[in-house]
Every structure is written in C-alpha cells, then in structure tokens.
Amino acid sequence: MTAAIAVEAQGLTRRYGGLEVVRAVDLRIPTGARVALLGANGAGKTTLLAMLATLVSPTAGRATVAGHDLGRRPAALRRAIGVLGHQPMVYEEMSSLENLQFFARLYGVPDADARIEELLRTVGLWLRRREPAAVLSRGYHQRLALARALVHRPAILFADEPETGLD
C-alpha cells in the first residue's frame, strides 16, 4: 500500500530577474511526514515554502499540495494549508482572542469559540487573551501566529523558522 502524497513538486523554479533562487526542485512528501529543509542563509528555503503556499508564483515547474494544483485553484489550496512565517504578522491593535476570531470567521471554522479556546490554552495565551497583541512579547506573537496557522485545522502546515522568538 502506497502512502498518499501531501506535497509533490517537479522542476519547481523561481527566478528574480536573472537570479535563480530556487532551481528545479523535485520532491515528494507523503501524508503525515515531517520534513525539515536545511541549508545556508539565502539557499531558497523560504522562497520554496512561499511557492508551495501560493505566496510567490513559480517561474517554472509544477506542484500539488494537499491534492490541489498550485496554479489552478490557489484559494482552495490555501484553505488546506496553514502557514507560520518567521515574522508573526499579527494584528497588534487586536487581542489574541480577536485575532483568532477574525481568522476563524475567514475560514468558516465550525464551533470557533471552542477551537480558539483550545488553541489559546495550548500556546499559553489563554490568561492574556483579551490584551492587545501590541503589549505581548515577540515570543507570544509567535505563539499567536502558530495558533492562527492552525485555527482551521489545516491538512498541511508550512513553518518557516517556527521557533523564532520562542523560549
């Protein structure tokens, strides 16, 4: 029995002008696998993740993520993934609770209140859930960003330097 494939890419390439930052990546990741991309700064790891998350278009090649073709229905693909970047990108004027409520509404999360409470407790923000994110530390911002990436129960989580700022 062959495992289902979560992510598959053939010849995935990204150029910026004459500079090729990702060259002809081929990969096949089975469902349930945990994969770490290792390489020097500037090796193209973030760009590869950005292409797979539909944040950057590939210059060449093709890929499927969670059964969705990268170029055909990017909105459907985005609903199937969670993305955690090294920059948390939280709405600082909103509380942790409000940040997650906002994204839960965007994703149409059923029983959102229970899911949000579960995540805020898991990442250690439940007791501070009503404080504006602006007063929280960098580490708490990263924890909130993780909760946001998971709020809709994605099939796949892409994480770029996920431990940045965490203790």
Side-chain angles (χ1 to χ4, degrees):
M1 178 179 228
T2 304
I5 301 302
V7 178
E8 186 170 18
Q10 295 96 32
L12 211 56
T13 299
R14 177 62 192 185
R15 289 181 197 86
Y16 291 99
L19 180 63
E20 195 170 52
V21 296
V22 174
R23 180 182 305 137
V25 170
D26 294 327
L27 56 89
R28 190 173 166 95
I29 302 171
T31 299
R34 292 186 179 124
V35 175
L37 295 176
L38 303 175
N41 289 346
K45 302 176 300 290
T46 296
T47 302
L48 176 60
L49 289 178
M51 284 190 290
L52 294 172
T54 73
L55 301 172
V56 173
S57 297
T59 307
R62 63 177 216 78
T64 57
V65 178
H68 301 280
D69 186 287
L70 210 59
R72 288 208 178 112
R73 294 182 49 221
L77 187 153
R78 287 184 201 116
R79 283 190 291 279
I81 64 172
V83 178
L84 174 62
H86 66 280
Q87 293 293 336
M89 307 296 286
V90 300
Y91 290 109
E92 291 196 349
E93 67 280 2
M94 296 166 60
S95 68
S96 297
L97 179 63
E98 291 166 333
N99 266 274
L100 293 186
Q101 287 171 333
F102 175 75
F103 284 95
R105 279 192 305 276
L106 284 178
Y107 284 109
V109 174
D111 199 13
D113 291 341
R115 178 65 174 160
I116 290 168
E117 180 176 346
E118 171 192 14
L119 288 167
L120 288 174
R121 287 184 185 281
T122 299
V123 300
L125 278 167
W126 180 251
L127 296 177
R128 301 188 71 183
R129 68 188 176 275
R130 297 191 191 286
E131 296 176 35
V135 304
L136 300 175
S137 71
R138 169 66 171 91
Y140 278 130
H141 280 195
Q142 192 70 357
R143 291 172 185 225
L144 176 56
L146 175 59
R148 180 193 61 223
L150 297 173
V151 74
H152 61 297
R153 294 180 174 87
I156 296 173
L157 176 64
F158 290 122
D160 186 8
E161 300 188 34
E163 295 179 351
T164 300
L166 295 179
D167 50 13

